[in-house]
Every structure is written in C-alpha cells, then in structure tokens.
Amino acid sequence: MKSVRNVIILGSGCAGNTAAIYAGRAGLNPLVIIGHEPGGQLSITTDVENFPGFPDGIQGPDLVANMQKQAERFGAEYVYGTVDAADLSKRPFRISIDGEWQETRTLIIASGASARWLGLPNEQQLIGKGVSSCATCDGAFYKEKKIMVIGGGDSAMEEATFLTRFGSEVSLVHRRDEFRASKIMLDRAKANPKIKWLVNTAVDDIFDVTKGEVTGVKLRNLKTGHVWDQEVDGFFLAIGHIPNTKPFVGQIDLDPDGYILSKGGARTNVTGVFHAGDVQDRIYRQAITAAGAGCMAAIEVERFLEHQGH
Ligand SMILES: Cc1cc2nc3c(=O)[nH]c(=O)nc-3n(C[C@H](O)[C@H](O)[C@H](O)COP(=O)(O)OP(=O)(O)OC[C@H]3O[C@@H](n4cnc5c(N)ncnc54)[C@H](O)[C@@H]3O)c2cc1C
C-alpha cells in the first residue's frame, strides 16, 4: 500500500478538474483518477459556447485539457484507471484503482452521470455533430432547423418544449403511446403547436456519417411496421442518465436512481467524502455548475483536513 493521500478525486471532468485546481493550490497534492472517459463528457463534444471566459466558444476537449494542465501546474497528479471498489467504513478510506488499493483521508466523488444512448451504429460517431444529450447545451446551434427529441419522460417534454424556441419544427419520438412524463409537463408540451408527435415509433438509424453531420433518420412505426426516412438536423436524446456510483452502492446514501444524496454543500452522509458535479446533480448538468461544485468540494476538503490537523 502506498502512503496515505490527503485527497483522491474520482473523475477528470469539469468537476474533478476544478476540484484538482483548488486542492492543488491549497497544497494538498491531489490524486485524480482519470476513469474510463478522460476529460469527462465534454471530451465527446465539439463547440462549447456557454462556458464563461471564452467569447468565441471553445472546443470541449480543449476546455478540459486546459483545466487538467492548470491543475497539474499546482501539483495535481493524474493517473489512468478506474475505481472499481471502495471501503468507506472508516478513515483513512480505501480505494481500489483497477485492483490496486490506495488510502486517502478524504475523497471527492466527481464521477459524473453518463447519458443513455440508443446504441445505434452511427450514433456515437455523430455525437457533437448533430447528436446530443443536452438541449440546454446545444439547442442554440439549431436555429430554424429540424429538431428531433427522443423520449417519453419529463426531460423529453422539457427538452422538446425548450427546443421549440430554436427549431423550425420539433418532432418528439416515443416508442409507446403512453408517457412516463407527469401530466403537467405532458400537457405543456401537447399545448405547444410546434411539437409534432411520433408515437409508437422507433429510430432504426441516423445519417450521415460520411458527411460528418446529422442529415436524417430512419424511423419505424412499431404497430404498423411502416419504415420511412425523415430529414433532421439536430437529434436530442432525452432517455435518462446513469450516475457512475457503482463502487459506492451500500456505502453512501444514493437516491433510487443512483445519484448521490447531498447532505448540504458538497457533503455526503459519510464524513470526509464529498460530491461534485453531475454525479449528484440531476437538474442543471452543465460544465459550469460541475466546475462550481468541484470548487465547493475542494474547499470543504481543505477545511475538513485543517480541522483534523493535516
Ligand atoms: C454531448 C454533450 C455536450 C455537452 N455540451 C455542453 C455544453 O456545451 N456546455 C455545458 O455547460 N455542458 C455541456 N454538457 C454537459 C457537461 O459535459 C456536463 O455537465 C459536465 O461534463 C459534468 O461534469 P462532471 O465532471 O460532473 O462529470 P463528467 O464530465 O461526466 O466526468 C466524469 C468523470 O468521472 C470519471 N469516472 C466515472 N466513473 C469512474 C470510476 N469508477 N473511477 C474513476 N473515474 C470515473 C470519468 O472517466 C470522467 O472523467 C454536454 C454533455 C454532453 C454529453
């Protein structure tokens, strides 16, 4: 076992990187576990236009790479690997990084929540090129364009309604003709004349990988079997997120969907374990809110360690 760390930060997205900048500047020599997605969700997108400080926008991968560079400047150490198990029953906590155990006085969980995708062959290749899981982030790119939203829950209703501000039309595609969405959200969406409803419908394919942008989709009516192509410019998934909290099930309080339950500020129910970013936030899910949460978690760590005499 290596020497006990002051703080381990799990995740290299906006939350983890920002926590690393603050913890690094506080002289805590943080260890950042990069995880399966180096740089987090922004690493799979292109233009980011809403992160303050970049009047002309910035590419997602550049933004997270800059954050990592900034954290390393202050002594943050980044290691490739994934946390596959943890023992948070006593301090120092024990964290397994691909089977190798490491002790730490504090832990910041900034492991994000991965968007659910449909799993279509072309989908992943078109993320950031017309395929998106975030209407707030990417809606403004589709002014007067044809937009499609997939899903039947509250977020699908919210995203479709929001996207009518931009698109010339918004088609909402849902596999069934009943909706999980609450009545109020559904009624609001139904009252919006810009939303066209495609129920009992599945998406079989997205085009056009050769052009490097979304130009259309292949749809199938699940009741009649009718198959057709439809022109689309922006394709938005709203079928949920999966919080990356598997190693902590049974060790910290999670809500029924697996998101960390906050005990105020950045605190979890386990003293010395803090949360940051989308792994706890099911509402805002933005780069800037994740970065802010990373800052909060690092400040809490710093004060906790100070209080403990470290
Ligand atoms: C396509 C797309 C476009 C977007 N565009 C924008 C935008 O324009 N503007 C905006 O503000 N927001 C945008 N977002 C949302 C933004 O990316 C997220 O809100 C933000 O990345 C959340 O940061 P995070 O650090 O909490 O989590 P994430 O970015 O999800 O990072 C999580 C990190 O945790 C790591 N990890 C997970 N599990 C483990 C584990 N077991 N062990 C170790 N590490 C682990 C992962 O490798 C990853 O590095 C977009 C999201 C997507 C998907």
Side-chain angles (χ1 to χ4, degrees), residues 65-80:
N66 284 348
M67 289 183 186
Q68 174 170 346
K69 217 190 282 173
Q70 195 174 346
E72 284 171 332
R73 186 177 144 217
F74 300 115
E77 212 178 304
Y78 282 71
V79 291
Y80 283 98

Side-chain angles (χ1 to χ4, degrees), residues 21-142:
I21 293 169
Y22 276 77
R25 291 193 77 234
L28 298 177
N29 185 222
L31 180 68
V32 183
I33 318 300
I34 292 173
H36 63 281
E37 188 168 66
Q41 291 174 67
L42 281 191
S43 66
I44 58 165
T45 192
T46 49
D47 295 303
V48 176
E49 291 193 329
N50 54 9
F51 199 90
F54 300 94
D56 301 319
I58 182 166
Q59 295 290 297
D62 293 342
L63 179 57
V64 277
N66 284 348
M67 289 183 186
Q68 174 170 346
K69 217 190 282 173
Q70 195 174 346
E72 284 171 332
R73 186 177 144 217
F74 300 115
E77 212 178 304
Y78 282 71
V79 291
Y80 283 98
T82 301
V83 171
D84 50 16
D87 177 3
L88 308 181
S89 59
K90 56 180 187 309
R91 291 198 302 270
F93 305 122
R94 294 175 72 238
I95 305 294
S96 164
I97 305 156
D98 294 328
E100 199 173 314
W101 288 89
Q102 171 72 59
E103 287 186 333
T104 183
R105 296 184 180 97
T106 63
L107 174 67
I108 295 176
I109 304 173
S111 47
S114 308
R116 282 183 205 274
W117 304 101
L118 290 175
L120 297 168
N122 293 335
E123 188 181 38
Q124 293 295 310
Q125 292 183 61
L126 290 168
I127 291 174
K129 296 165 185 159
V131 171
S132 175
S133 60
C134 178
T136 310
C137 313
D138 296 332
F141 295 125
Y142 299 97

Side-chain angles (χ1 to χ4, degrees), residues 213-252:
E213 61 178 0
V214 171
T215 58
V217 292
K218 186 179 285 302
L219 298 170
R220 182 165 42 95
N221 185 299
L222 295 167
K223 287 219 161 141
T224 64
H226 173 60
V227 174
W228 74 103
D229 289 351
Q230 185 162 320
E231 278 180 28
V232 173
D233 304 297
F235 184 85
F236 287 82
L237 278 304
I239 52 174
H241 286 76
I242 308 164
N244 300 312
T245 47
K246 210 165 152 209
F248 307 107
V249 172
Q251 305 213 47
I252 58 170

